[in-house]
Amino acid sequence: MTNALQAFSSRADLQQFNPNGLLLFALELRFGIDDIATVAASAITDGSKDRKCDLVYIDAETRTAVLAQGYFAGDSSKASAPSNKAADLGIAASWVLGNQRADDLGVSLRAAAEDLHEAIEAGEVDVVELWYSHNLPESKNVADELDRATHSAKALLSQCYPDHQVEVRYLEVGSATLNDWYASTKSPILVTDDLDVPATSWFSETGDGWEAVCTSVPATWLHGLFDKHGDRLFSANVRGYMPRRRTALNINFGIEETARNHPGRFWAFNNGVTALVNSISADEPNSSLSLSGIAVVNGAQTTGSLARVELSALDEARVLIRFVQASNPDLVQNIIRYNNSQNQIKPSDFRSGDRIQKRLREDFKKIPDATYLGARRGGSDDRARKPSNLIASDTAAQSLAAFHQDPTTAYHNLSSIWDNDEVYARYFSDHTTAAHIVFCYSLWRAVAQTKADLTGLPAAAQTSDDKEALDYLRKRGSLYLLVAGIANAAEIYLGRALPNTFALSFGKRVSPEEATKYWMPLVDALLPFAPSQLGPAFDNGGVRRREIVKNNVSAFRSVVASTKRANASVFDEFRNRVDIAT
């Protein structure tokens, strides 16, 4: 068993999503997702009429959409995964990308397809990737089927969106790829070869914890490195494999054309490459330059584009390159972050140092069994050993927004919470406490857990109410809307006016796990009203339409009020657990 599969086997939090647990693990590794359970709540396209598609995920930061099929072999000694499931991705792509009849798709898949089409139409997706995720070695048979599916998907996109340039590619995420992705979370350099650099001159620089050499190399040298190592050359950031901007394909085309037609001008036209290395050996004066290990952190487009140009055309082309070596893990991560143009600083990074987040990090130290990084991103070691009690900053922000009556922002515009000062101050202010975040976050978790529990029921064991509730919960954004509905009815089940809902908590000594248990009976009692009172919102624009959301949340509250006597015991039990600060 590989290191990645061993790590997956220890992830109890992913077992509830089986048979798609490994697929989610792969997604987490590839996109650096902090809270995979939150993503799973909307990305998994389970249920009837799933049309051979297990997952649809849109990563806004990398402008990449993933359509995936998952498989987990009980016998891991098999030589390869079944290729027919790879072929299924062609069917999945045709239903998701080309189907014009919404009723032909299941509830989850229909919502996912609508989100994807809206994102493509809005120019928010540059790449569609078809994934076949499994726990076996990769094979040519599977690759051939995936290649066919990719061509079909590309034809559909060209037909449906002739004015949008969207690249389509495939990934067989088998045991080897998973292991590489997992290894990259622990060490940014996967290519560990000793390399002689074909340079005749260079200059050195040193600084606080780092040293570097800057030189020029033949383009053919980079071509050879890519030919030998492929995407492993970009292991310092898995996202470095993916173009970020709509202009990325044109940039690549321009790089190739310059290298092919004007190789003698390439050095002057190109920005060059930055590579992280384990060590540098530079003999003076400029007689021999060698490296141990290499990972390109800036210049992936340049390197990949040069690799697509025939070697004979590159004889005159040279590339400016600098090799940087550092041993401190935090410094290494910052070198990667600030050099890699494909790993932009997230909006939340700018908030990590403000006084509210600093205070919240201190407040959370008093909360049992909870880790909150306060908009900070961990380094590679943190990603490899993510604490099981982590409250991801994005999920905390979404929970706060949904609880405080803005499920639209929570689901569709998370970045605005960190980007926009006014929106940020709405949810992160002097009134926001760690205990209140736990209160809101645990409601979200209770709703998500309820969906997982219902999904796990065999179809034969599901009552008509279960099926109706599950149909509602499979709509994208429905969980945030239900959180908003339950929060809006707080005065009813708490039996008092609430001029400041930020005062609500379970106190400072209740863990998120325990708090989730407190919410579960209330969620169970109120969920049956969601399909009839909140469900109609999805027939009128969904969570994007604020006025529609407001009206449906108000209708939900009215029904909750009408059941106050019938649910008195549940309300009383919950009320006794709530602390309202004065």
Side-chain angles (χ1 to χ4, degrees):
M1 184 183 290
T2 65
N3 291 337
L5 292 174
Q6 286 178 338
F8 168 67
S9 67
S10 68
R11 290 287 299 276
D13 61 312
L14 292 174
Q15 305 312 311
Q16 64 178 309
F17 300 109
N18 285 338
N20 294 312
L22 185 65
L23 173 55
L24 290 170
F25 183 62
L27 200 73
E28 177 185 84
L29 292 175
R30 180 70 183 278
F31 293 99
I33 296 169
D34 288 330
D35 190 347
I36 193 62
T38 297
V39 169
S42 59
I44 295 293
T45 52
D46 52 5
S48 62
K49 297 183 180 180
D50 65 9
R51 304 304 183 187
K52 310 292 185 181
C53 186
D54 293 332
L55 175 145
V56 177
Y57 171 71
I58 301 172
D59 188 71
E61 190 177 353
T62 61
R63 302 167 64 88
T64 299
V66 175
L67 276 65
Q69 172 77 242
Y71 172 74
F72 194 90
D75 180 4
S76 59
S77 66
K78 292 181 178 179
S80 63
S83 59
N84 65 300
K85 292 186 74 65
D88 285 346
L89 275 168
I91 298 172
S94 67
W95 281 106
V96 174
L97 300 175
N99 179 57
Q100 301 298 316
R101 301 189 302 271
D103 289 343
D104 289 343
L105 306 179
V107 175
S108 295
L109 188 60
R110 180 165 65 246
E114 289 171 353
D115 272 4
L116 178 55
H117 283 284
E118 286 178 7
I120 293 173
E121 188 64 46
E124 297 168 355
V125 171
D126 291 336
V127 181
V128 172
E129 291 189 339
L130 306 183
W131 284 24
Y132 181 21
S133 170
H134 56 78
N135 61 327
L136 297 171
E138 286 128 15
S139 70
K140 184 178 184 304
N141 287 340
V142 167
D144 288 344
E145 292 293 349
L146 289 173
D147 187 54
R148 291 189 189 95
T150 299
H151 281 90
S152 299
K154 179 61 178 175
L156 283 168
L157 281 172
S158 297
Q159 178 183 341
C160 296
Y161 300 98
D163 298 328
H164 292 74
Q165 192 175 30
V166 180
E167 183 179 357
V168 183
R169 66 180 94 180
Y170 71 81
L171 280 174
E172 182 182 5
V173 189
S175 55
T177 298
L178 276 172
N179 213 43
D180 276 354
W181 290 358
Y182 180 70
S184 74
T185 68
K186 300 176 72 65
S187 173
I189 301 176
L190 292 186
V191 176
T192 57
D193 295 7
D194 292 330
L195 304 169
D196 292 322
V197 182
T200 57
S201 62
W202 57 84
F203 66 88
S204 302
E205 289 286 352
T206 59
D208 183 11
W210 60 269
E211 59 181 278
V213 165
C214 186
T215 187
S216 294
V217 297
T220 53
W221 186 69
L222 284 173
H223 190 296
L225 283 177
F226 188 85
D227 279 350
K228 181 177 181 180
H229 301 290
D231 284 344
R232 289 170 62 86
L233 197 58
F234 312 127
S235 60
N237 186 343
V238 178
R239 283 181 256 191
Y241 307 166
M242 297 173 281
R244 282 190 49 81
R245 299 174 297 277
R246 176 153 299 280
T247 54
L249 299 179
N250 293 329
I251 289 172
N252 290 352
F253 179 77
I255 293 172
E256 290 180 41
E257 288 299 292
T258 299
R260 184 176 288 114
N261 300 323
H262 305 284
R265 298 177 179 177
F266 190 86
W267 193 98
F269 288 178
N270 187 263
N271 289 331
V273 172
T274 299
L276 191 68
V277 300
N278 288 325
S279 65
I280 304 171
S281 176
D283 293 339
E284 299 292 348
N286 290 339
S287 59
S288 174
L289 178 62
S290 60
L291 315 167
S292 175
I294 186 169
V296 173
V297 295
N298 185 278
Q301 302 300 333
T302 293
T303 306
S305 297
L306 288 173
R308 288 189 289 272
V309 178
E310 53 277 10
L311 270 173
S312 59
L314 295 177
D315 287 343
E316 297 179 41
R318 298 187 67 81
V319 183
L320 176 67
I321 189 167
R322 59 177 182 161
F323 305 106
V324 183
Q325 184 269 324
S327 56
N328 180 282
D330 291 336
L331 178 58
V332 167
Q333 288 303 310
N334 282 329
I335 290 171
I336 294 168
R337 182 176 302 171
Y338 295 120
N339 274 278
N340 192 336
S341 62
Q342 297 197 357
N343 186 24
Q344 287 186 330
I345 297 172
K346 291 176 65 176
S348 57
D349 290 331
F350 291 107
R351 301 292 182 181
S352 61
D354 79 12
R355 65 180 184 85
I356 300 297
Q357 296 300 329
K358 287 179 180 178
R359 174 178 59 76
L360 287 172
R361 285 194 290 271
E362 289 300 311
D363 283 354
F364 263 98
K365 292 178 180 179
K366 304 169 188 175
I367 302 288
D369 197 24
T371 299
Y372 177 73
L373 299 179
R376 285 178 177 168
R377 282 192 279 183
S380 59
D381 191 56
D382 293 319
R383 287 188 288 128
R385 298 185 300 170
K386 188 184 316 182
S388 59
N389 61 2
L390 176 69
I391 297 179
S393 302
D394 282 353
T395 310
Q398 290 172 299
S399 301
L400 284 167
F403 188 91
H404 291 281
Q405 303 307 293
D406 194 359
T408 304
T409 292
Y411 183 64
H412 283 294
N413 201 10
L414 165 65
S415 63
S416 71
I417 299 177
W418 306 112
D419 266 336
N420 186 301
D421 289 343
E422 181 180 348
V423 179
Y424 178 76
R426 201 177 297 156
Y427 306 116
F428 291 101
S429 69
D430 291 327
H431 298 289
T432 311
T433 64
H436 181 66
I437 290 177
V438 169
F439 191 78
C440 300
Y441 172 81
S442 58
L443 172 55
W444 156 256
R445 276 293 182 218
V447 170
Q449 184 60 54
T450 299
K451 178 185 176 182
D453 292 344
L454 289 172
T455 303
L457 283 176
Q462 293 177 3
T463 67
S464 58
D465 287 342
D466 291 337
K467 292 175 181 177
E468 192 175 33
L470 198 48
D471 278 349
Y472 167 80
L473 293 171
R474 282 174 170 154
K475 299 177 188 293
R476 292 204 161 191
S478 62
L479 278 67
Y480 297 100
L481 185 56
L482 181 55
V483 167
I486 293 174
N488 188 268
E491 290 187 336
I492 297 166
Y493 51 78
L494 293 179
R496 58 176 290 182
L498 298 172
N500 176 21
T501 51
F502 279 92
L504 297 174
S505 77
F506 294 119
K508 298 179 180 179
R509 298 183 180 179
V510 175
S511 70
E513 183 177 0
E514 191 67 19
T516 302
K517 294 177 182 177
Y518 291 172
W519 278 109
M520 289 298 287
L522 192 67
V523 171
D524 288 343
L526 302 185
L527 176 59
F529 311 131
S532 60
Q533 305 306 315
L534 300 177
F538 297 94
D539 299 326
N540 296 285
V543 183
R544 290 182 185 272
R545 300 280 299 278
R546 295 180 187 275
E547 191 59 35
I548 296 294
V549 165
K550 183 178 179 181
N551 291 340
N552 282 269
V553 165
S554 178
F556 181 85
R557 177 188 173 117
S558 296
V559 173
V560 173
S562 71
T563 66
K564 186 174 181 179
R565 182 169 298 178
N567 285 315
S569 61
V570 175
F571 291 177
D572 287 345
E573 180 183 6
F574 184 82
R575 183 186 305 118
N576 291 334
R577 299 185 184 280
V578 175
D579 180 77
I580 304 177
T582 56

